[in-house]
Amino acid sequence: MAKLTESMTNVLEGDSMDQDVESPVAIHQPKLPKQARDDLPRHISRDRTKRKIQRYVRKDGKCNVHHGNVRETYRYLTDIFTTLVDLKWRFNLLIFVMVYTVTWLFFGMIWWLIAYIRGDMDHIEDSSWTPCVTNLNGFVSAFLFSIETETTIGYGYRVITDKCPEGIILLLIQSVLGSIVNAFMVGCMFVKISQPKKRAETLVFSTHAVISMRDGKLCLMFRVGDLRNSHIVEASIRAKLIKSKQTSEGEFIPLNQTDINVGYYTGDDRLFLVSPLIISHEINQQSPFWEISKAQLPKEELEIVVILEGMVEATGMTCQARSSYITSEILWGYRFTPVLTLEDGFYEVDYNSFHETYETSTPSLSAKELAELASRAELPLSWSVSSKLNQHAELETEEEEKNPEEQTERNGDVANLENESKV
């Protein structure tokens, strides 16, 4: 029995140890924000499956960012004018109607209270009684008088008398406050109507960006155009690369923004946008695409945000149009189809071909690899030239060394001839 019990205990202990070994260990991962968890780099994220790239800026220019957990909501009230302008039209119209209705009801209630306290309601049919407001016999008539006073309609049926000092003071207050309300609400509606957001809808960007050779250099290009005959004044273009990165210290920076040079130093970023233009970015050592090849491009998780700014010629207000390109919208080895043709006395733009591209011969190597190949191709030439120069220099030194000996020999022969002649 003792041996049996010992064997049973050994088996149980072995099972328990096996269970301990096979039991999964709970590893607590650090809690990260949702955006950081979604944008972890490939060598950090355990999910190796291909996922859809989340846009930072949509194709129509709207930013795909929602502000959550904003506790200091009072800051919106400190800038109430901008808050009202930013509201949607249905809420703006609702607030517009509610503000006027509330002010009319508020002052109508005060006019009715003044008439009720003075006893005007009890002397409606008494012709010898001088009321505060003539022909005011209830709350409805007081409400109508409030509307006439604030909107300065003045039908003439209800009139304030000079025997009511409190009514005169209330009339002054309502006139001043009514003017303030009118200025605020009408100004808000005017600014909202004249916003240049709709003007940005007639500024178009190509659906794809392309990468091809231009003047012997690898370039990233996209096209912009203006559909209206009224032009954008002082138009300028900017581009940003949105890509998460990890620093050498291990810090993860989600959606890091890097400038893409589209002609800032040469002035090419300032546009005369009369016809569609192709914006070009030269991929050089300062470019974020310096080490990206055709095979590596689909594996990158990046987004290019382009921003076109300028003033509307008709109103003088600043207008901004935005768009973006993800890796699947960047075509390697393509160019844009020309859209400008010369007609009889004018130039015509064919917007049917605005988004069209055609394939062209483009190396699939990155700009860095192309530069290395070009440098290697130039090295033998430089070596041969330098060797030839060295050989030429050595020949010149050898000739200079031989010349003194020849000169001495010639001088000796001349001296011998002179001695012989003397003898």
Side-chain angles (χ1 to χ4, degrees):
M1 290 293 293
K3 293 181 178 179
L4 182 61
T5 55
E6 289 178 0
S7 62
M8 291 292 292
T9 54
N10 292 331
V11 171
L12 292 174
E13 289 178 358
D15 294 337
S16 63
M17 291 183 66
D18 293 339
Q19 291 178 359
D20 293 338
V21 172
E22 296 175 358
S23 61
V25 180
I27 300 175
H28 297 283
Q29 297 291 338
K31 187 176 181 181
L32 297 174
K34 182 178 183 299
Q35 191 67 29
R37 292 197 304 269
D38 292 341
D39 294 332
L40 281 176
R42 294 181 182 272
H43 63 276
I44 293 179
S45 177
R46 293 185 176 183
D47 187 10
R48 299 290 182 177
T49 59
K50 185 178 179 180
R51 64 184 181 84
K52 185 179 179 180
I53 298 178
Q54 185 68 39
R55 286 186 179 273
Y56 189 63
V57 177
R58 293 186 291 185
K59 294 294 287 184
D60 58 357
K62 295 182 180 179
C63 298
N64 194 20
V65 177
H66 299 275
H67 299 280
N69 300 325
V70 179
R71 298 181 180 179
E72 298 178 352
T73 54
Y74 67 90
R75 294 182 181 272
Y76 293 102
L77 299 177
T78 57
D79 188 13
I80 186 65
F81 186 83
T82 306
T83 303
L84 291 176
V85 172
D86 290 339
L87 288 176
K88 295 182 179 180
W89 269 108
R90 53 179 176 269
F91 298 113
N92 207 319
L93 292 174
L94 178 63
I95 292 175
F96 185 85
V97 174
M98 290 298 297
V99 166
Y100 279 105
T101 304
V102 168
T103 54
W104 295 337
L105 289 172
F106 175 74
F107 284 104
M109 178 64 70
I110 296 178
W111 284 114
W112 179 79
L113 285 175
I114 290 175
Y116 181 80
I117 293 172
R118 293 183 75 257
D120 294 341
M121 300 299 175
D122 298 332
H123 302 82
I124 295 176
E125 301 296 336
D126 191 357
S127 59
S128 61
W129 178 264
T130 305
C132 183
V133 179
T134 57
N135 300 317
L136 196 150
N137 52 12
F139 177 75
V140 176
S141 58
F143 176 69
L144 294 175
F145 180 72
S146 175
I147 295 175
E148 295 175 15
T149 302
E150 190 166 336
T151 57
T152 63
I153 293 176
Y155 290 117
Y157 183 70
R158 298 178 184 86
V159 182
I160 188 172
T161 61
D162 56 355
K163 303 297 183 180
C164 183
E166 60 271 21
I168 297 174
I169 296 173
L170 181 60
L171 179 65
L172 295 175
I173 294 173
Q174 186 175 4
S175 299
V176 173
L177 291 179
S179 300
I180 295 174
V181 170
N182 289 332
F184 186 83
M185 298 307 300
V186 173
C188 178
M189 295 296 293
F190 176 77
V191 171
K192 190 168 182 64
I193 292 172
S194 59
Q195 276 185 325
K197 290 183 178 180
K198 298 299 182 182
R199 180 64 177 89
E201 294 183 0
T202 55
L203 299 174
V204 292
F205 297 87
S206 58
T207 56
H208 292 88
V210 298
I211 295 178
S212 61
M213 300 298 293
R214 173 177 278 192
D215 294 332
K217 299 177 182 178
L218 201 62
C219 296
L220 169 71
M221 293 171 283
F222 58 93
R223 184 149 59 184
V224 297
D226 188 4
L227 301 179
R228 286 187 178 273
N229 292 326
S230 60
H231 309 305
I232 296 293
V233 183
E234 296 292 334
S236 62
I237 190 75
R238 291 184 293 126
K240 291 278 188 179
L241 176 67
I242 309 298
K243 182 181 179 182
S244 301
K245 63 175 289 188
Q246 189 175 14
T247 62
S248 58
E249 295 81 9
E251 179 188 4
F252 177 69
I253 304 177
L255 302 178
N256 182 57
Q257 299 185 10
T258 306
D259 282 331
I260 299 177
N261 186 14
V262 289
Y264 177 78
Y265 298 105
T266 59
D268 293 336
D269 61 331
R270 294 183 287 273
L271 310 177
F272 181 53
L273 197 59
V274 177
S275 61
L277 299 176
I278 297 177
I279 310 301
S280 176
H281 162 65
E282 180 183 343
I283 302 178
N284 50 25
Q285 294 182 356
Q286 289 75 31
S287 173
F289 302 94
W290 173 246
E291 299 180 355
I292 297 179
S293 62
K294 181 179 180 181
Q296 187 181 357
L297 180 61
K299 302 176 184 178
E300 295 289 332
E301 295 184 359
L302 54 87
E303 181 179 357
I304 301 173
V305 178
V306 292
I307 305 169
L308 176 62
E309 293 179 328
M311 291 188 299
V312 181
E313 187 179 26
T315 61
M317 301 185 69
T318 303
C319 173
Q320 185 182 90
R322 297 180 294 266
S323 186
S324 67
Y325 303 97
I326 57 178
T327 53
S328 61
E329 297 170 349
I330 302 175
L331 304 179
W332 191 290
Y334 284 81
R335 290 177 183 170
F336 287 106
T337 303
V339 295
L340 191 64
T341 57
L342 177 60
E343 301 295 335
D344 187 11
F346 61 93
Y347 292 95
E348 184 177 0
V349 178
D350 182 15
Y351 278 99
N352 291 328
S353 305
F354 182 83
H355 303 284
E356 293 182 0
T357 58
Y358 65 94
E359 193 171 1
T360 181
S361 59
T362 303
S364 59
L365 301 178
S366 64
K368 181 180 180 181
E369 295 171 344
L370 291 176
E372 291 176 353
L373 289 177
S375 62
R376 291 174 185 173
E378 293 175 358
L379 283 177
L381 178 62
S382 62
W383 288 345
S384 61
V385 171
S386 61
S387 62
K388 288 181 180 179
L389 291 174
N390 293 331
Q391 292 176 1
H392 185 66
E394 291 176 359
L395 292 173
E396 288 181 352
T397 54
E398 289 177 1
E399 290 177 359
E400 289 176 358
E401 290 175 358
K402 292 179 180 179
N403 288 334
E405 297 177 357
E406 294 177 358
Q407 289 178 359
T408 54
E409 291 177 358
R410 291 176 182 177
N411 292 332
D413 295 336
V414 172
N416 293 329
L417 291 172
E418 288 178 356
N419 292 330
E420 290 177 358
S421 62
K422 289 179 180 180
V423 174

